[in-house]
Amino acid sequence: MLTIKDLHVKLEEEDKQILKGVDLTVEAGKVHAIMGPNGSGKSTLSYVLSGRDGYEVTSGTAHLGDVDLLDIEPEERAAAGLFLAFQYPVEIPGVGNMTFLRTAVNAQRKARGEEEMSAADFLKEVRARAKELQIDADMLKRPVNVGFSGGEKKRNEILQMAMLEPKMCILDETDSGLDVDAMKLVAEGVNKLRSVGRGFLVITHYQRLLDHIKPDVVHIMADGRIVKTGGPELALEVENNGYADILAEVA
Amino acid sequence: MATPAPQTDPTEARIAHLTLPAGGWSEAARSDALARLRSTGLPTRRDEYWKFTRPDALTQADTPKAGVLVDDEPPIFGDTDALRIVFDDGVFNAEASDDLALEHVTIERLGDTKADIHWAQGVYGVLEKAGQTPVARPLAALNTAFASDGVLIHATAKATRPINLVYNHRQEASDAILHHVIKIDADADLTIMESGPAAARFNKVMEVDVADGAAFHHVRAQGRDHERLAATHVFARLGTESTFKSFTLTVNGRLTRNDCVIELTGDDAIAHVAGACVGDGDFHHDDTVFITHDAERCESRQVFKKVLRNGAVGVFQGKILVKAGAQKTDGYQISQSLLLDEDAQFLAKPELEIYADDVVCSHGSTSGAIDEEALFYLRSRGVPAPIATDLLTLAFLAEAVDEIEDEALRDVLVARLEGWLERHRS
């Protein structure tokens, strides 16, 4: 599904190398987690894959299926099936949440040569999905993320994911700023979307999110590289011993 | 007898091209206005409120030319049920107009009314004259003196339909001077829509007298002809608990100067003035607003948004004057521009002058570019960059557009904005 090979990335503005050779493959139907200390390059990886400005890929490749992600615009990556749940979802005053969702859904369909969703079908679909995430009608009407609590913003991300039905979902620190109940709700939303055709890459600091979204594979990232890969037990090791032991071990 | 020597004074040169309509009830007001014009002269670059906008094209004696846009859109308010009054290059078109008959409303034409006594006498040139202090508005005085036509509308109760003044531009070289008087009696309610470019050059004055408890709604769309010039004035006087709401959409036009002068004379009155303009290239748009609070507990709002690109220039000069005794005034003013490239320019002069001690007045003025974070967020969801940019641009304009109370009219204007944005993508 997602294949990253020897990815090197530096900041455009300053001569600072952030990713120093990332190799990672996420198979369809699997949930991979990336854990790692602050500054290890986890978020940079998610931004580079989704096409945010400000990064320069100096070498390496990233493919979603056959699609060369690094060669195309952010909207084309989305249409190809990539979705990033933001760590800090952006507030957009003046753009209604519904308008935004419908524009996004239909833009992707159009890009893939599919028929656009009718207003009635869209409304039906979005109401059903929103209900599962306990998103009320008012949140759907309000401008995108404006005045939303931390939990509401993250649920809104999952709602977008559910509506856009991507092939590959990247969740960047989705647990940050969430209390336990909110995290459970978000995790349930994600778990419902798990399917044989869909891959997940869950980026997190802490093991606790992985109690709710059970990963198949756990990677430890440090200093711009994946330094260790293992099963779910690796996350528990981090929880119990911190990163220091693992980093010392691979050094 | 020898022909008079060519005028070297620009004001006299301009006047020499015009005919002062003689006789009838407006004669005194017209000669009064002519005297006002002569005492101040036409505006020049040296005048305090013409520093950001060159008045030359608006004051030049010769009739200017502007290409007539081949219409590719249906009339903007065509689907709205309204009584239509049509002017072609400032000349009344009886055939294209509806009968000037509307329940609770008297509609007459300025060019038509020769009687000596007329209800409009108490308003015509009166609000314009009051609006000349403390800032002279010579183009409005010129209008009062020389207006060739216009409508005189007197509403005695709530009108059953809105009135749509349609201004067609037909002749490349054309100069139109129209003057409207709107008088709304106590507790009456009237909506006026204006649409169209009117002429190569349009000088228009609308005087609006809103009595106690009355309401006036005004929605206008200034035509899309690229080279057209316009200098318009709205003068309004508001009575106790009255409401005045005005919104203007401007797309294109080489030069537009819209003055709005409002006096809140009765307690608890509300005045909202808003505008959205979008300009690409040879476009200069100036909103100049002067709101005087002269009564207690009145509310005024000025909301102006400008989207500019490719050398377009936006100007905002907005003033709130709170007189002594106008306690509990609630004044709000915001003017913002969205500069879509580095060549666009926005010039703003917000002013507050307050002589009462128990008031809330706020003002803000900003210039900015498209929010890159928001743009990336939209694109990451699959929205192509041009559509995402349009969405964010409409979002920027929303605060102004939302000032239009009528949802159907608001949708009509938003659709026009969407069309313009789509045609002007980079």
Side-chain angles (χ1 to χ4, degrees):
Chain A
M1 176 70 58
L2 179 67
T3 317
I4 302 168
K5 284 188 181 152
D6 195 33
L7 189 62
H8 287 71
V9 172
K10 71 187 248 319
L11 291 180
E12 243 169 30
E13 297 280 303
E14 41 188 309
D15 198 24
K16 192 179 171 194
Q17 202 73 30
I18 308 287
L19 299 184
K20 303 172 181 173
V22 174
D23 285 287
L24 179 70
T25 301
V26 179
E27 309 81 6
K30 299 287 184 194
V31 174
H32 284 228
I34 295 187
M35 303 181 74
N38 280 331
S40 57
K42 305 189 299 293
S43 287
T44 296
L45 178 63
S46 72
Y47 286 141
V48 169
L49 291 176
S50 56
R52 191 194 184 103
D53 281 342
Y55 303 97
E56 189 188 329
V57 176
T58 51
S59 67
T61 58
H63 286 81
L64 182 62
D66 299 333
V67 179
D68 181 355
L69 288 177
L70 304 180
D71 202 35
I72 54 178
E73 297 296 324
E75 53 267 39
E76 296 172 307
R77 301 180 195 203
L82 185 74
F83 182 92
L84 168 66
F86 282 52
Q87 181 178 3
Y88 304 108
V90 181
E91 297 189 5
I92 311 182
V95 177
N97 213 9
M98 281 287 232
T99 308
F100 160 59
L101 264 173
R102 199 168 156 221
T103 307
V105 166
N106 282 334
Q108 289 202 15
R109 286 179 169 232
K110 201 175 161 193
R112 292 194 291 259
E114 299 165 12
E115 208 174 305
E116 293 190 7
M117 213 171 184
S118 76
D121 287 349
F122 173 80
L123 203 63
K124 202 174 144 195
E125 179 82 14
V126 78
R127 279 189 180 143
R129 303 284 197 172
K131 199 177 167 198
E132 290 173 358
L133 289 157
Q134 296 181 18
I135 289 173
D136 60 24
D138 182 52
M139 260 177 77
L140 289 175
K141 270 190 228 145
R142 271 149 59 188
V144 180
N145 293 324
V146 177
F148 286 24
S149 70
E152 286 174 334
K153 282 181 183 168
K154 296 300 169 79
R155 275 186 278 150
N156 202 31
E157 294 291 288
I158 306 305
L159 174 66
Q160 292 165 38
M161 192 192 282
M163 290 301 296
L164 294 169
E165 300 182 322
K167 288 181 194 154
M168 180 68 218
C169 307
I170 304 172
L171 281 71
D172 186 11
E173 307 271 2
T174 292
D175 50 336
S176 71
L178 295 188
D179 60 31
V180 179
D181 291 332
M183 189 164 63
K184 271 188 189 165
L185 195 60
V186 166
E188 273 169 30
V190 172
N191 287 332
K192 272 187 195 141
L193 295 174
R194 290 179 74 154
S195 76
V196 286
R198 184 172 289 146
F200 283 86
L201 187 59
V202 180
I203 294 170
T204 183
H205 262 303
Y206 303 108
Q207 192 266 339
R208 58 173 199 166
L209 179 67
L210 303 179
D211 285 342
H212 303 285
I213 304 173
K214 297 245 187 299
D216 299 297
V217 182
V218 175
H219 308 275
I220 306 296
M221 193 165 184
D223 194 27
R225 284 187 197 89
I226 305 278
V227 294
K228 190 168 183 180
T229 297
E233 71 285 350
L234 192 53
L236 288 170
E237 199 185 320
V238 169
E239 177 76 358
N240 294 331
N241 306 331
Y243 290 111
D245 285 6
I246 296 169
L247 298 185
E249 182 190 316
V250 297
Chain B
M1 203 176 144
T3 49
Q7 289 293 343
T8 49
D9 176 72
T11 305
E12 292 304 326
R14 177 76 183 108
I15 291 171
H17 274 69
L18 299 163
T19 320
L20 196 68
W25 59 270
S26 66
E27 189 173 18
R30 288 176 185 273
S31 54
D32 233 38
L34 180 58
R36 274 199 295 284
L37 171 63
R38 283 197 158 118
S39 74
T40 59
L42 283 167
T44 69
R45 208 60 199 282
R46 289 185 299 278
D47 291 324
E48 172 79 16
Y49 285 88
W50 288 92
K51 285 198 159 57
F52 299 145
T53 298
R54 293 186 71 90
D56 318 31
L58 298 171
T59 58
Q60 73 171 51
D62 297 329
T63 303
K65 279 185 184 176
V68 177
L69 188 84
V70 179
D71 237 337
D72 48 356
E73 283 181 323
I76 183 160
F77 300 124
D79 289 336
T80 311
D81 177 36
L83 185 138
R84 258 167 269 283
I85 305 174
V86 181
F87 293 90
D88 296 340
D89 298 318
V91 178
F92 177 64
N93 182 337
E95 211 160 285
S97 301
D98 292 328
D99 284 342
L100 304 187
L102 187 60
E103 208 180 340
H104 309 307
V105 182
T106 310
I107 307 170
E108 293 171 88
R109 281 183 33 240
L110 175 66
D112 222 21
T113 331
K114 296 290 176 212
D116 272 347
I117 299 165
H118 195 273
W119 62 264
Q121 228 164 347
V123 186
Y124 189 86
V126 173
L127 299 189
E128 174 261 297
K129 184 180 180 180
Q132 298 282 350
T133 326
V135 181
R137 299 171 202 280
L139 286 166
L142 178 142
N143 180 298
T144 299
F146 294 103
S148 59
D149 209 341
V151 287
L152 311 167
I153 300 176
H154 183 189
T156 54
K158 187 175 168 61
T160 49
R161 294 162 82 193
I163 294 171
N164 182 192
L165 305 174
V166 180
Y167 307 126
N168 295 321
H169 175 204
R170 302 287 188 219
Q171 305 286 329
E172 238 183 41
S174 49
D175 213 354
I177 306 181
L178 295 180
H179 192 122
H180 309 308
V181 168
I182 320 281
K183 186 170 159 59
I184 308 177
D185 285 355
D187 303 316
D189 191 326
L190 182 69
T191 297
I192 299 238
M193 286 107 71
E194 295 181 280
S195 51
R201 179 168 64 185
F202 191 28
N203 179 327
K204 193 207 66 187
V205 165
M206 179 184 272
E207 292 177 285
V208 190
D209 191 9
V210 191
D212 295 354
F216 176 64
H217 290 90
H218 178 223
V219 178
R220 112 177 115 165
Q222 300 180 294
R224 275 172 49 209
D225 296 22
H226 289 277
E227 295 162 309
R228 62 143 190 83
L229 312 166
T232 78
H233 290 79
V234 174
F235 295 95
R237 178 170 62 195
L238 274 69
T240 303
E241 291 178 17
S242 67
T243 304
F244 170 100
K245 292 194 177 177
S246 173
F247 175 88
T248 301
L249 171 75
T250 311
V251 299
N252 305 342
R254 182 152 70 85
L255 175 59
T256 306
R257 164 76 173 237
N258 292 332
D259 281 47
C260 185
V261 183
I262 298 173
E263 200 170 0
L264 296 143
T265 62
D267 296 340
D268 302 292
I270 295 172
H272 291 191
V273 196
C277 81
V278 288
D280 185 351
D282 193 7
F283 173 91
H284 184 111
H285 182 95
D286 178 337
D287 287 298
T288 295
V289 181
F290 199 115
I291 297 184
T292 304
H293 283 257
D294 196 13
E296 291 188 18
R297 296 179 305 277
C298 291
E299 175 194 307
S300 71
R301 274 174 73 84
Q302 304 171 41
V303 183
F304 287 88
K305 303 264 187 164
K306 295 174 165 61
V307 175
L308 306 166
R309 75 184 311 159
N310 193 19
V313 179
V315 175
F316 174 77
Q317 308 183 98
K319 180 156 183 168
I320 306 172
L321 169 64
V322 181
K323 289 197 173 174
Q327 300 296 9
K328 307 282 184 195
T329 285
D330 180 358
Y332 174 76
Q333 181 196 90
I334 184 97
S335 64
Q336 295 180 309
S337 71
L338 178 64
L339 307 177
L340 292 179
D341 58 36
E342 310 247 309
D343 299 327
Q345 201 183 359
F346 178 55
L347 304 156
K349 190 168 83 167
E351 290 179 279
L352 298 180
E353 194 176 332
I354 301 171
Y355 297 100
D357 56 8
D358 184 13
V359 304
V360 179
C361 280
S362 61
H363 69 92
S365 187
T366 63
S367 271
I370 286 280
D371 179 352
E372 291 295 329
E373 287 286 312
L375 186 64
F376 173 65
Y377 189 68
L378 291 169
R379 294 178 72 190
S380 79
R381 298 305 183 241
V383 183
I387 296 176
T389 304
D390 288 1
L391 265 181
L392 294 173
T393 304
L394 287 171
F396 165 80
L397 293 169
E399 188 188 359
V401 175
D402 286 348
E403 288 288 326
I404 304 168
E405 273 186 18
D406 186 302
E407 206 175 321
L409 285 179
R410 197 162 63 218
D411 289 347
V412 165
L413 295 197
V414 168
R416 292 300 163 117
L417 280 167
E418 284 171 344
W420 189 91
L421 291 172
E422 214 178 307
R423 291 192 298 274
H424 290 261
R425 282 175 184 161
S426 48

